Amino acid sequence: MLDRVTLRGLRARGHHGVFERERIEGQTFVVDLVLFLDTRPAASGDDLSRTAHYGIVAEEVTAIIAGDPVDLIETLAQRIADQCLKHEAVEEVEVTVHKPDAPITVPFDDVTITIHRGRA
């Protein structure tokens, strides 16, 4: 059974979406992450290099949000998952992308997608 490191509410402005207005004006995206890993090696030696450095992960994720635009939040979530899995200690990741300002014509609170990915 793997341990979990959770980051909630990572925010950045991105220009993702299929509509021209979304690409031009941009909007805030919020990401929640759960990194699944074995924290015992880090804990036994009190060694940051043997775990996932969540500060670096947070910076990488917000850079992806603010980076090259994509049409779908599904694609954005996959890019974030791929980056998280580049960290040696991370075995699986759950990514939730929130798009609270999605261009929907009826009242709503949030639009999200959640994906769970692991090493192949």
Side-chain angles (χ1 to χ4, degrees):
M1 191 163 179
L2 294 170
D3 305 315
R4 295 177 300 206
V5 174
T6 303
L7 291 91
R8 289 200 176 99
L10 295 171
R11 287 178 175 71
R13 189 159 189 84
H15 294 266
H16 312 290
V18 296
F19 298 113
E20 183 178 3
R21 188 185 100 238
E22 294 178 291
R23 293 294 183 109
I24 293 170
E25 296 174 15
Q27 59 192 292
T28 299
F29 291 84
V30 182
V31 171
D32 301 325
L33 296 175
V34 181
L35 308 174
F36 295 87
L37 62 153
D38 183 355
T39 61
R40 289 175 295 189
S44 69
D46 199 26
D47 185 354
L48 178 61
S49 70
R50 300 186 73 193
T51 188
H53 188 311
Y54 52 79
I56 291 173
V57 171
E59 291 172 1
E60 292 169 347
V61 169
T62 56
I64 291 169
I65 297 168
D68 294 334
V70 296
D71 288 344
L72 304 176
I73 59 174
E74 291 86 343
T75 306
L76 182 59
Q78 185 64 54
R79 286 184 177 181
I80 292 167
D82 291 343
Q83 180 61 42
C84 292
L85 290 169
K86 289 180 181 178
H87 291 267
E88 187 176 333
V90 178
E91 307 243 355
E92 298 175 15
V93 63
E94 182 178 280
V95 178
T96 301
V97 175
H98 300 258
K99 190 174 180 180
D101 298 320
I104 296 175
T105 60
V106 297
F108 74 102
D109 290 329
D110 197 6
V111 172
T112 67
I113 179 166
T114 301
I115 64 171
H116 188 107
R117 300 291 186 266
R119 296 192 181 280

